[in-house]
Amino acid sequence: MYPTDTIAAISTSVNEGGIGIVRISGPKAIEIADKIFKSIQNKSLADVDSYTAHYGNIIDPKTEQLIDEVITLVMKAPKTYTTEDIVEIDCHGGTVILRKILDVVLQQGARLAEPGEFTKRAFLNGRMDLSQAEAVIDLIRSKTEANMEVALDHLEGGLAKKVNDIRQDLVSLLAHLEATIDFPEDEIDDFESNELDNRINQVLNKVDNLLETSKRGKILKEGIETAIIGRPNVGKSSLLNALLREKRAIVTEVPGTTRDVIEEVINIGGIPIKIIDTAGIREAKDQVEKIGIERSEKFLDKADLILLVLDMSRELSKEDHDLIAAIKNKQAVIIANKLDLEAEVSIDEIKEIASDKPLVKTAAIDNQGIDKLEKVISDLVFSGDVEAQSQTLITNMRHKNALDRAKQSLLDVKETFERGLPNDFITIDLREALEAVGEITGDTLGEDIIDQIFADFCLGK
Ligand code: GDP
Ligand code: ZN
């Protein structure tokens, strides 16, 4: 189903900005823009070349009122983002101006675009596959450069290529098997007993290789929920500030249940380290200083990674011991802080009670040991994880689930084959694998699920 109407939306952030862009896409994009845009040279946009910019005014055709001085960019089908005619109106970036321009565009017959609808059109019109379309939003939302590079690879079709390669293998297997079923009397050879097995193993191998990248991919994309814990005055805030000074990635507002929490993201070797409840650590001193074990436990449950700070200049207290015990089964780093002061605790003493946790000595107050800490964190987070061979990583749960299902179907194929069941049975499983893999690129996905995927996009993209 190819879209036929014309859509429009504000494509830039709706906050105040230097410029703003209203984007129109569809068969009537140029006609609509022409009705509201008066070029300085009195030129109709219908007559201009593709990928040209034109200076002029937006005039409300009803009231003849001037709305803004703009530049319109005309891009003609099919070589555009959506493959349709597109007009972008570059205006002054005020909320009211943007709204007014969008309003007159809509009055002239465009429909307000749904979130992600421009990209959805690029997909529906065959300009990109679903994995590429999903990469667009990943790219926009990437938190670190490493994250961005992975998204870019998907956008360029890196994942689609691998997936299509797997599909190709499956299609050729299926074709051969079906030929033996449909024309048994012909001279089409059944697979030699180990040939089918070998070929299935080859495909399984490719699926596995992709699946193996998903741990790293998930971490790069979603980051690691991290809690800095420790008793009062050990240096939690100082440590956070030391990390933030160099590595602050982004600050996002996470709508919380009771109040909005500022989430700080620190970029450590490309890993977005998301500090849980930073506001609590930094501002509400009493709150965190009083967290004690009971509140720490809440943090502990939620966190993927714990940074437990100890003050080396004071003897270990019961609270320190309790915290060390509480992180026993967690992924954690112990930070022996205030190493610039005279030590009251020895490293050996800590190692005795927390031998399995990596330990880093720091003086948060003057940034000592911070580099080492970053190295330890990234080694710990990626531990046992093979260094990625390429930048093509699975970062999306939907893709991972599809690959998991494909893998299961391929294992079923092997089993069916080993049990000596007829080829029809094998083809059923193979088809399932094919279908699962096709979901990644969107070839075998229902419309409702596709709608759902794009609904998660931002407006105007
Ligand atoms: P928090 O209560 O755990 O957040 O600890 P703070 O970061 O607020 O630090 C408590 C006190 O210890 C402050 O006076 C800091 O300046 C000091 N402090 C933190 N880290 C160090 C350090 O590495 N060396 C020294 N000498 N003082 C530190
Ligand atoms: Zn503090």
Side-chain angles (χ1 to χ4, degrees):
M1 244 295 280
Y2 296 103
T4 52
D5 56 351
T6 298
I7 54 173
I10 297 169
S11 281
T12 41
S13 156
V14 289
N15 298 323
E16 182 181 303
I19 61 163
I21 296 176
V22 172
R23 178 150 65 168
I24 317 169
S25 176
K28 288 195 166 162
I30 293 172
E31 185 189 318
I32 289 171
D34 232 0
K35 286 190 202 153
I36 60 167
F37 174 73
K38 293 285 164 283
S39 104
I40 292 299
Q41 298 149 319
N42 243 336
K43 233 187 201 173
S44 159
L45 294 177
D47 303 329
V48 305
D49 289 336
S50 187
Y51 285 94
T52 52
H54 306 274
Y55 174 58
N57 292 320
I58 296 291
I59 310 272
D60 183 340
K62 273 201 217 145
T63 61
E64 306 211 333
Q65 185 200 1
L66 170 68
I67 298 178
D68 196 11
E69 226 175 273
V70 303
I71 292 183
T72 55
L73 197 61
V74 177
M75 291 165 271
K76 295 190 171 174
K79 288 191 173 168
T80 69
Y81 186 68
T82 55
T83 78
E84 305 168 338
D85 283 343
I86 292 184
V87 177
E88 284 183 7
I89 301 172
D90 264 40
C91 60
H92 292 105
T95 318
V96 177
I97 296 170
L98 279 163
R99 274 241 62 102
K100 276 201 98 160
I101 294 177
L102 179 63
D103 278 349
V104 291
V105 167
L106 298 180
Q107 275 162 25
Q108 295 310 313
R111 167 173 69 71
L112 184 64
E114 289 161 24
E117 198 171 359
F118 293 95
T119 309
K120 185 176 172 184
R121 287 188 168 199
F123 165 68
L124 291 176
N125 293 332
R127 197 176 81 79
M128 45 173 80
D129 83 319
L130 196 55
S131 74
Q132 289 174 296
E134 286 171 302
V136 171
I137 201 68
D138 288 347
L139 194 60
I140 291 173
R141 294 190 181 148
S142 46
K143 297 187 177 72
T144 68
E145 224 167 290
N147 191 187
M148 189 196 84
E149 279 165 19
V150 176
L152 208 52
D153 167 68
H154 287 197
L155 182 62
E156 307 263 274
L159 178 60
K161 187 160 168 277
K162 296 218 149 139
V163 168
N164 283 329
D165 178 45
I166 292 170
R167 287 187 85 195
Q168 213 44 59
D169 289 353
L170 293 173
V171 167
S172 106
L173 268 172
L174 201 56
H176 193 113
L177 282 170
E178 284 183 339
T180 66
I181 295 167
D182 293 345
F183 311 102
E185 66 281 4
D186 283 6
E187 307 276 294
I188 296 167
D189 296 333
D190 225 339
F191 281 118
E192 295 289 329
S193 61
N194 53 8
E195 194 196 338
L196 178 70
D197 206 43
N198 284 345
R199 284 178 65 175
I200 292 289
N201 283 341
Q202 277 170 20
V203 188
L204 260 175
N205 213 0
K206 290 179 186 175
V207 172
D208 270 335
N209 284 343
L210 265 183
L211 273 172
E212 263 169 36
T213 67
S214 67
K215 184 184 165 219
R216 181 178 283 262
K218 180 171 189 283
I219 290 170
L220 288 183
K221 182 175 175 186
E222 292 171 16
I224 294 283
E225 301 261 0
T226 305
I228 302 178
I229 64 168
R231 67 178 162 124
N233 280 317
V234 292
K236 297 181 294 297
S237 309
S238 310
L239 178 75
L240 176 63
N241 287 331
L243 287 167
L244 286 174
R245 215 165 7 247
E246 297 174 31
K247 300 287 174 178
R248 171 179 268 134
I250 52 158
V251 182
T252 49
E253 300 204 4
V254 183
T257 39
T258 49
R259 68 189 162 120
D260 285 0
V261 176
I262 302 278
E263 178 188 76
E264 295 276 7
V265 180
I266 302 166
N267 177 359
I268 292 186
I271 309 166
I273 297 286
K274 304 199 283 191
I275 305 290
I276 299 175
D277 196 7
T278 300
I281 297 175
R282 286 203 305 178
E283 290 145 32
K285 240 191 180 308
D286 325 322
Q287 227 179 352
V288 178
E289 313 315 15
K290 280 199 211 121
I291 58 173
I293 278 296
E294 148 220 352
R295 245 197 101 190
S296 298
E297 259 161 16
K298 250 196 265 166
F299 282 108
L300 289 177
D301 277 347
K302 205 180 160 225
D304 303 316
L305 173 70
I306 309 286
L307 305 179
L308 171 58
V309 185
L310 301 174
D311 178 348
M312 300 302 282
S313 71
R314 287 187 289 170
E315 278 177 28
L316 293 184
S317 67
K318 169 161 189 315
E319 207 177 341
D320 289 322
H321 281 280
D322 288 346
L323 287 169
I324 291 170
I327 61 166
K328 201 169 170 43
N329 298 315
K330 299 287 295 190
Q331 181 161 262
V333 179
I334 294 186
I335 294 156
N337 192 36
K338 305 202 187 179
L339 83 108
D340 56 310
L341 300 179
E342 199 177 323
E344 286 291 331
V345 196
S346 73
I347 295 294
D348 288 344
E349 200 179 331
I350 298 169
K351 284 203 165 140
E352 229 165 80
I353 45 177
S355 54
D356 61 325
K357 303 289 185 234
L359 188 147
V360 182
K361 293 183 275 185
T362 63
I365 201 156
D366 51 11
N367 278 347
Q368 284 185 67
I370 301 298
D371 288 349
K372 178 78 197 304
L373 174 62
E374 290 175 5
K375 173 87 173 63
V376 168
I377 289 174
S378 92
D379 286 352
L380 183 68
V381 168
F382 282 148
S383 71
D385 187 17
V386 278
E387 189 68 34
Q389 297 290 314
S390 73
Q391 276 299 99
T392 298
L393 305 183
I394 297 296
T395 52
N396 184 314
M397 269 313 279
R398 194 182 74 75
H399 301 166
K400 180 175 183 299
N401 288 340
L403 286 171
D404 278 332
R405 272 183 288 122
K407 179 176 175 173
Q408 188 50 55
S409 299
L410 290 172
L411 292 173
D412 290 346
V413 169
K414 276 169 72 89
E415 198 194 309
T416 309
F417 182 67
E418 270 153 30
R419 285 168 51 198
L421 294 172
N423 284 357
D424 317 42
F425 288 88
I426 299 178
T427 60
I428 292 173
D429 293 327
L430 265 181
R431 273 230 183 70
E432 272 172 17
L434 196 57
E435 193 160 315
V437 172
E439 288 177 12
I440 298 175
T441 48
D443 294 271
T444 55
L445 213 53
E447 211 174 314
D448 46 337
I449 297 183
I450 288 171
D451 287 348
Q452 236 178 338
I453 290 169
F454 285 102
D456 186 40
F457 271 52
C458 34
L459 269 167
K461 189 66 221 179

mmCIF file of all heavy atoms in Angstrom, residues 230-239 281 285 289 337-341 362-366, ligand 1:
data_model
loop_
_atom_site.group_PDB
_atom_site.id
_atom_site.type_symbol
_atom_site.label_atom_id
_atom_site.label_comp_id
_atom_site.label_asym_id
_atom_site.label_seq_id
_atom_site.Cartn_x
_atom_site.Cartn_y
_atom_site.Cartn_z
ATOM 1 N N GLY A 230 27.606 4.253 48.969
ATOM 2 C CA GLY A 230 28.646 4.374 49.978
ATOM 3 C C GLY A 230 28.102 5.196 51.127
ATOM 4 O O GLY A 230 27.138 5.940 50.956
ATOM 5 N N ARG A 231 28.747 5.055 52.285
ATOM 6 C CA ARG A 231 28.205 5.800 53.425
ATOM 7 C C ARG A 231 28.537 7.291 53.280
ATOM 8 O O ARG A 231 29.323 7.672 52.421
ATOM 9 C CB ARG A 231 28.728 5.196 54.725
ATOM 10 C CG ARG A 231 30.213 5.351 54.943
ATOM 11 C CD ARG A 231 30.566 4.740 56.292
ATOM 12 N NE ARG A 231 31.982 4.469 56.376
ATOM 13 C CZ ARG A 231 32.742 4.955 57.344
ATOM 14 N NH1 ARG A 231 32.236 5.727 58.286
ATOM 15 N NH2 ARG A 231 34.032 4.648 57.369
ATOM 16 N N PRO A 232 27.951 8.119 54.098
ATOM 17 C CA PRO A 232 28.141 9.562 53.975
ATOM 18 C C PRO A 232 29.617 9.954 53.983
ATOM 19 O O PRO A 232 30.416 9.348 54.698
ATOM 20 C CB PRO A 232 27.427 10.126 55.198
ATOM 21 C CG PRO A 232 26.412 9.110 55.549
ATOM 22 C CD PRO A 232 26.988 7.788 55.158
ATOM 23 N N ASN A 233 29.935 10.946 53.163
ATOM 24 C CA ASN A 233 31.256 11.568 53.159
ATOM 25 C C ASN A 233 32.401 10.721 52.619
ATOM 26 O O ASN A 233 33.553 11.115 52.741
ATOM 27 C CB ASN A 233 31.633 12.027 54.572
ATOM 28 C CG ASN A 233 30.965 13.345 54.878
ATOM 29 O OD1 ASN A 233 30.941 14.242 54.025
ATOM 30 N ND2 ASN A 233 30.394 13.453 56.064
ATOM 31 N N VAL A 234 32.103 9.609 52.011
ATOM 32 C CA VAL A 234 33.193 8.820 51.439
ATOM 33 C C VAL A 234 33.706 9.428 50.136
ATOM 34 O O VAL A 234 34.820 9.130 49.695
ATOM 35 C CB VAL A 234 32.781 7.343 51.197
ATOM 36 C CG1 VAL A 234 32.568 6.619 52.508
ATOM 37 C CG2 VAL A 234 31.541 7.269 50.321
ATOM 38 N N GLY A 235 32.852 10.252 49.509
ATOM 39 C CA GLY A 235 33.294 10.905 48.272
ATOM 40 C C GLY A 235 32.467 10.546 47.042
ATOM 41 O O GLY A 235 32.954 10.665 45.917
ATOM 42 N N LYS A 236 31.217 10.162 47.252
ATOM 43 C CA LYS A 236 30.357 9.789 46.118
ATOM 44 C C LYS A 236 30.149 10.971 45.170
ATOM 45 O O LYS A 236 30.314 10.848 43.959
ATOM 46 C CB LYS A 236 28.989 9.304 46.623
ATOM 47 C CG LYS A 236 29.041 8.049 47.474
ATOM 48 C CD LYS A 236 27.640 7.619 47.908
ATOM 49 C CE LYS A 236 26.957 8.603 48.860
ATOM 50 N NZ LYS A 236 27.671 8.761 50.152
ATOM 51 N N SER A 237 29.782 12.107 45.753
ATOM 52 C CA SER A 237 29.518 13.270 44.905
ATOM 53 C C SER A 237 30.789 13.708 44.198
ATOM 54 O O SER A 237 30.765 14.077 43.020
ATOM 55 C CB SER A 237 28.977 14.434 45.736
ATOM 56 O OG SER A 237 27.908 13.990 46.517
ATOM 57 N N SER A 238 31.913 13.655 44.920
ATOM 58 C CA SER A 238 33.183 14.067 44.317
ATOM 59 C C SER A 238 33.535 13.141 43.159
ATOM 60 O O SER A 238 34.017 13.591 42.118
ATOM 61 C CB SER A 238 34.310 14.026 45.349
ATOM 62 O OG SER A 238 33.915 14.718 46.500
ATOM 63 N N LEU A 239 33.276 11.858 43.344
ATOM 64 C CA LEU A 239 33.569 10.893 42.282
ATOM 65 C C LEU A 239 32.693 11.168 41.062
ATOM 66 O O LEU A 239 33.179 11.206 39.923
ATOM 67 C CB LEU A 239 33.315 9.467 42.782
ATOM 68 C CG LEU A 239 33.541 8.399 41.726
ATOM 69 C CD1 LEU A 239 35.029 8.184 41.507
ATOM 70 C CD2 LEU A 239 32.870 7.089 42.102
ATOM 71 N N ILE A 281 22.000 12.048 44.678
ATOM 72 C CA ILE A 281 23.384 12.063 45.133
ATOM 73 C C ILE A 281 23.904 13.490 45.245
ATOM 74 O O ILE A 281 24.596 13.839 46.174
ATOM 75 C CB ILE A 281 24.292 11.283 44.146
ATOM 76 C CG1 ILE A 281 23.875 9.817 44.114
ATOM 77 C CG2 ILE A 281 25.744 11.384 44.582
ATOM 78 C CD1 ILE A 281 24.640 9.009 43.086
ATOM 79 N N LYS A 285 21.287 16.225 49.786
ATOM 80 C CA LYS A 285 22.339 15.655 50.603
ATOM 81 C C LYS A 285 21.789 14.741 51.701
ATOM 82 O O LYS A 285 22.148 13.581 51.779
ATOM 83 C CB LYS A 285 23.215 16.757 51.216
ATOM 84 C CG LYS A 285 24.672 16.610 50.760
ATOM 85 C CD LYS A 285 25.577 17.513 51.568
ATOM 86 C CE LYS A 285 27.022 17.417 51.169
ATOM 87 N NZ LYS A 285 27.688 16.189 51.091
ATOM 88 N N GLU A 289 22.624 10.891 52.074
ATOM 89 C CA GLU A 289 23.513 10.642 53.190
ATOM 90 C C GLU A 289 22.840 9.717 54.195
ATOM 91 O O GLU A 289 23.468 9.047 54.972
ATOM 92 C CB GLU A 289 23.947 11.945 53.868
ATOM 93 C CG GLU A 289 24.422 13.061 52.933
ATOM 94 C CD GLU A 289 25.384 12.638 51.819
ATOM 95 O OE1 GLU A 289 25.512 11.430 51.532
ATOM 96 O OE2 GLU A 289 26.011 13.511 51.214
ATOM 97 N N ASN A 337 38.663 5.235 47.969
ATOM 98 C CA ASN A 337 38.840 6.671 47.730
ATOM 99 C C ASN A 337 39.669 7.337 48.838
ATOM 100 O O ASN A 337 39.916 6.751 49.889
ATOM 101 C CB ASN A 337 37.460 7.335 47.620
ATOM 102 C CG ASN A 337 37.545 8.760 47.097
ATOM 103 O OD1 ASN A 337 38.380 9.061 46.230
ATOM 104 N ND2 ASN A 337 36.705 9.631 47.624
ATOM 105 N N LYS A 338 40.072 8.550 48.552
ATOM 106 C CA LYS A 338 40.874 9.394 49.452
ATOM 107 C C LYS A 338 42.253 8.793 49.674
ATOM 108 O O LYS A 338 42.774 8.788 50.789
ATOM 109 C CB LYS A 338 40.150 9.616 50.796
ATOM 110 C CG LYS A 338 38.741 10.186 50.636
ATOM 111 C CD LYS A 338 38.233 10.886 51.882
ATOM 112 C CE LYS A 338 36.765 11.285 51.711
ATOM 113 N NZ LYS A 338 36.190 11.948 52.887
ATOM 114 N N LEU A 339 42.835 8.288 48.596
ATOM 115 C CA LEU A 339 44.144 7.666 48.733
ATOM 116 C C LEU A 339 45.229 8.708 48.999
ATOM 117 O O LEU A 339 46.359 8.385 49.352
ATOM 118 C CB LEU A 339 44.473 6.819 47.492
ATOM 119 C CG LEU A 339 45.040 7.488 46.249
ATOM 120 C CD1 LEU A 339 46.514 7.106 46.116
ATOM 121 C CD2 LEU A 339 44.316 7.021 45.016
ATOM 122 N N ASP A 340 44.882 9.981 48.818
ATOM 123 C CA ASP A 340 45.842 11.055 49.115
ATOM 124 C C ASP A 340 46.013 11.256 50.619
ATOM 125 O O ASP A 340 46.995 11.833 51.064
ATOM 126 C CB ASP A 340 45.379 12.363 48.462
ATOM 127 C CG ASP A 340 43.968 12.752 48.889
ATOM 128 O OD1 ASP A 340 43.063 11.883 48.813
ATOM 129 O OD2 ASP A 340 43.761 13.912 49.314
ATOM 130 N N LEU A 341 45.046 10.776 51.397
ATOM 131 C CA LEU A 341 45.145 10.938 52.854
ATOM 132 C C LEU A 341 45.845 9.726 53.467
ATOM 133 O O LEU A 341 46.025 8.706 52.822
ATOM 134 C CB LEU A 341 43.746 11.092 53.463
ATOM 135 C CG LEU A 341 42.918 12.280 52.977
ATOM 136 C CD1 LEU A 341 41.555 12.288 53.663
ATOM 137 C CD2 LEU A 341 43.649 13.610 53.228
ATOM 138 N N THR A 362 41.416 5.590 44.227
ATOM 139 C CA THR A 362 41.205 6.921 43.660
ATOM 140 C C THR A 362 41.415 8.009 44.709
ATOM 141 O O THR A 362 41.381 7.739 45.921
ATOM 142 C CB THR A 362 39.755 7.113 43.144
ATOM 143 O OG1 THR A 362 38.873 7.000 44.269
ATOM 144 C CG2 THR A 362 39.376 6.109 42.080
ATOM 145 N N ALA A 363 41.654 9.208 44.189
ATOM 146 C CA ALA A 363 41.483 10.406 44.999
ATOM 147 C C ALA A 363 40.570 11.282 44.165
ATOM 148 O O ALA A 363 41.019 12.031 43.301
ATOM 149 C CB ALA A 363 42.822 11.075 45.269
ATOM 150 N N ALA A 364 39.281 11.105 44.404
ATOM 151 C CA ALA A 364 38.282 11.766 43.551
ATOM 152 C C ALA A 364 38.491 13.270 43.549
ATOM 153 O O ALA A 364 38.223 13.943 42.564
ATOM 154 C CB ALA A 364 36.880 11.417 44.034
ATOM 155 N N ILE A 365 38.997 13.769 44.662
ATOM 156 C CA ILE A 365 39.121 15.207 44.824
ATOM 157 C C ILE A 365 40.077 15.813 43.806
ATOM 158 O O ILE A 365 39.893 16.939 43.369
ATOM 159 C CB ILE A 365 39.548 15.529 46.274
ATOM 160 C CG1 ILE A 365 39.186 16.961 46.616
ATOM 161 C CG2 ILE A 365 41.016 15.244 46.516
ATOM 162 C CD1 ILE A 365 39.026 17.181 48.084
ATOM 163 N N ASP A 366 41.121 15.065 43.400
ATOM 164 C CA ASP A 366 41.958 15.614 42.326
ATOM 165 C C ASP A 366 42.127 14.635 41.151
ATOM 166 O O ASP A 366 43.197 14.571 40.529
ATOM 167 C CB ASP A 366 43.308 16.135 42.850
ATOM 168 C CG ASP A 366 44.000 15.095 43.713
ATOM 169 O OD1 ASP A 366 43.523 13.941 43.715
ATOM 170 O OD2 ASP A 366 44.998 15.437 44.375
HETATM 171 P P1 GDP B 1 29.600 11.917 49.730
HETATM 172 O O1 GDP B 1 28.896 12.285 50.961
HETATM 173 O O2 GDP B 1 29.900 10.470 49.696
HETATM 174 O O3 GDP B 1 28.911 12.374 48.495
HETATM 175 O O4 GDP B 1 31.029 12.640 49.776
HETATM 176 P P2 GDP B 1 31.477 14.001 49.119
HETATM 177 O O5 GDP B 1 31.858 13.781 47.717
HETATM 178 O O6 GDP B 1 30.457 15.024 49.397
HETATM 179 O O7 GDP B 1 32.800 14.242 49.906
HETATM 180 C C1 GDP B 1 32.842 14.357 51.301
HETATM 181 C C2 GDP B 1 34.086 15.114 51.681
HETATM 182 O O8 GDP B 1 35.238 14.375 51.332
HETATM 183 C C3 GDP B 1 34.221 16.436 50.939
HETATM 184 O O9 GDP B 1 34.767 17.380 51.819
HETATM 185 C C4 GDP B 1 35.196 16.136 49.829
HETATM 186 O O10 GDP B 1 35.928 17.251 49.424
HETATM 187 C C5 GDP B 1 36.089 15.113 50.473
HETATM 188 N N1 GDP B 1 36.685 14.194 49.517
HETATM 189 C C6 GDP B 1 36.087 13.515 48.541
HETATM 190 N N2 GDP B 1 36.991 12.779 47.863
HETATM 191 C C7 GDP B 1 38.199 13.002 48.427
HETATM 192 C C8 GDP B 1 39.536 12.551 48.161
HETATM 193 O O11 GDP B 1 39.798 11.736 47.265
HETATM 194 N N3 GDP B 1 40.514 13.014 48.964
HETATM 195 C C9 GDP B 1 40.266 13.897 49.968
HETATM 196 N N4 GDP B 1 41.297 14.309 50.693
HETATM 197 N N5 GDP B 1 39.029 14.349 50.232
HETATM 198 C C10 GDP B 1 38.010 13.922 49.479
#
